[in-house]
Amino acid sequence: MAAVTPPVAGRGSVTEVALVGAGRMGSMHLRAIAGSASIRVTDVVEPYPPRREQCAAAGLRTHATIEDLLANGTPDGVIVCAPTDQHASVVRHLLASGVPVLCEKPAGLSSREVAETGRGAGPGAVLQVAYWRRFVPALVALRDRIAAGEFGKVLHLVCAQWDGAPPPPAFRAGSGGIFVDMGVHEFDELRWLTGCEIEGVLAVTTPAVDPAARPDADVGQVLLSLTDSTTAVVSLGRHHPVGDLVSVEVFGTVGHQRLVVLDPAGGEEPMLDALRRQAESFAELLATGVRAGAGIDDAVAAMRTAESAANSAHHPH
Ligand SMILES: NC(=O)c1ccc[n+]([C@@H]2O[C@H](COP(=O)([O-])OP(=O)(O)OC[C@H]3O[C@@H](n4cnc5c(N)ncnc54)[C@H](O)[C@@H]3O)[C@@H](O)[C@H]2O)c1
C-alpha cells in the first residue's frame, strides 16, 4: 500500500459521497454500498429523468448535472459511473473542483486520455480507479501466496471473463471495444497478482454476431508475456448464457490453483462484496491517505495492454 498526501477529511466517521451515473454499474454500487457502515451515497447526478426519479424515490438527493451537485455543497468524494467516453471530462471537472474521485474503469477511452487526466489532477488531487478484483478476498489471498513463493516460480496464468450476455449496442459504441471494456480487468489483475509488467501481447477476435454492435467483437483471446518470463492467456467473451463467469488459474513450478471469482451458479454476491470493500478503501484513502486500490499509473498500464491487444487483433501476424 502506498501513502498519498494530503489526506482529505471525511464527515465524522461516515464518508458521504455522490454517485455520477445511475445506470447498470451505478445501481450495483448503490446496492453494494448500502451494506457499508463507513461510506454512504447521499447524492446522485444523472441526466436521464426516469433514473433520477427512481433515485429520489429511494431517498437520495438528485441532480441533473455536476454543476447542480456542487452548487448544493461539496461531497467528501464522488464515484463516477458515467459512460466510458465521458470519464475524462467528468473526472477532470471534479478534480479541478477539488473533489476526490473513485472512477469506474477504464477512466478514459485511451491510455493517453487516462494519463492526461492523471497529469492534470495535480499533486493534492485524490483519484482511485475502480478495479474491483483487487478487493476480492480470495484474490488477495492468492496474491499473498504468490508473493510468499507458495507456487515456486509462476510459469503461467489463465484469466477468463465471460459475460452472461452482451451490453446494449449503444453502450458498446462508446465503450472502447472488448479489450478496453472487459480486458482491462484481467490486464490489471495480472500485474497486481504477479508484480510483473506485461511486455508482449498477441490477440485474436471474433466479430459481434449482432451487426449493430460492430465493429466491437464478441470474443477476444489474448496471449501475453510478462517480465520474469511468465506467460498468460486472457479469454474474454460476451456470450455465456448461464451467467457471468470470472476465473483465474495459476501454474507454478511447485503449485497450481484455479479460482472461480464469479460463478454463474453463485450469482453476483462476490462482486457486490468487492464493490463495498472497494468503496470502503476509498473512504480509507480520504481519511488516512493510505491507498489500497488502483491508481492512475495502474489504469494507464491496463489501457496500454488493451491498446496493444486491439492493434494486434487488427493486424494479425
Ligand atoms: N467494474 C465493472 O465490472 C464494470 C461493469 C460494468 C460497467 N462498468 C463501467 O461503468 C461505466 C458505466 O457503465 P454502465 O454499464 O453502468 O452504463 P449505463 O449506460 O448503464 O449507465 C450510464 C449512466 O450514466 C448516465 N450518464 C450519461 N452521461 C452522464 C454524465 N455526463 N454525468 C452523469 N451521468 C451520466 C446515463 O444516463 C446512464 O444512466 C462504464 O465506464 C463501464 O466501463 C464497470
Side-chain angles (χ1 to χ4, degrees):
M1 291 186 191
V4 295
T5 51
V8 178
R11 280 179 203 149
S13 57
V14 179
T15 300
E16 296 190 339
V17 295
L19 180 80
V20 173
R24 291 181 312 157
M25 198 56 196
S27 304
M28 278 203 85
H29 279 281
L30 283 174
R31 285 164 58 208
I33 294 171
S36 177
S38 64
I39 180 166
R40 71 169 156 253
V41 179
T42 56
D43 294 69
V44 169
V45 177
E46 170 56 59
Y48 185 48
R51 288 207 180 116
R52 257 200 331 271
E53 281 155 25
Q54 279 172 358
C55 292
L60 295 156
R61 291 189 293 258
T62 59
H63 314 270
T65 63
I66 292 172
E67 286 83 355
D68 290 349
L69 168 77
L70 298 179
N72 283 282
T74 307
D76 293 332
V78 166
I79 301 178
V80 174
C81 298
T84 299
D85 54 9
Q86 310 221 12
H87 285 184
S89 62
V90 168
V91 171
R92 287 172 197 178
H93 184 165
L94 289 165
L95 292 178
S97 307
V99 184
V101 174
L102 170 61
C103 182
E104 255 310 331
K105 45 57 63 174
L109 269 178
S110 68
S111 59
R112 192 171 159 181
E113 202 174 67
V114 178
E116 275 170 11
T117 299
R119 268 198 299 277
V126 180
L127 175 58
Q128 179 176 339
V129 182
Y131 282 106
W132 63 266
R133 309 288 175 69
R134 292 177 178 234
F135 297 94
V136 175
L139 286 176
V140 173
L142 181 66
R143 181 180 188 241
D144 290 346
R145 290 177 60 205
I146 290 174
E150 276 190 39
F151 295 87
K153 170 164 174 35
V154 174
L155 298 169
H156 186 64
L157 297 98
V158 179
C159 302
Q161 184 191 166
W162 279 74
D163 285 352
F171 172 88
R172 293 171 77 170
S175 74
I178 193 164
F179 297 116
V180 168
D181 185 40
M182 297 181 71
V184 287
H185 278 297
E186 276 62 40
F187 305 144
D188 180 68
E189 186 177 270
L190 281 171
R191 290 179 66 245
W192 172 76
L193 278 176
T194 63
C196 295
E197 293 299 328
I198 294 169
E199 292 187 317
V201 181
L202 197 60
V204 290
T205 54
T206 306
V209 291
D210 177 0
R214 296 179 195 159
D216 193 16
D218 276 354
V219 171
Q221 305 297 327
V222 193
L223 261 178
L224 305 109
S225 60
L226 283 66
T227 48
D228 206 21
S229 307
T230 304
T231 59
V233 166
V234 167
S235 177
L236 308 169
R238 296 198 187 270
H239 297 271
H240 196 249
V242 288
D244 292 351
L245 171 75
V246 172
S247 65
V248 181
E249 194 166 7
V250 181
F251 297 82
T253 49
V254 299
H256 167 263
Q257 173 84 53
R258 180 163 190 269
L259 216 142
V260 178
V261 178
L262 280 187
D263 178 350
E268 60 194 10
E269 194 49 47
M271 183 167 169
L272 288 169
D273 177 69
L275 291 178
R276 178 184 53 75
R277 290 172 188 272
Q278 175 176 257
E280 289 172 349
S281 86
F282 180 57
E284 184 75 14
L285 175 63
L286 302 192
T288 67
V290 175
R291 180 188 291 277
I296 202 78
D297 291 346
D298 301 306
V300 170
M303 281 298 280
R304 286 205 175 120
T305 305
E307 288 163 354
S308 298
N311 288 338
S312 151
H314 291 148
H315 306 286
H317 297 259

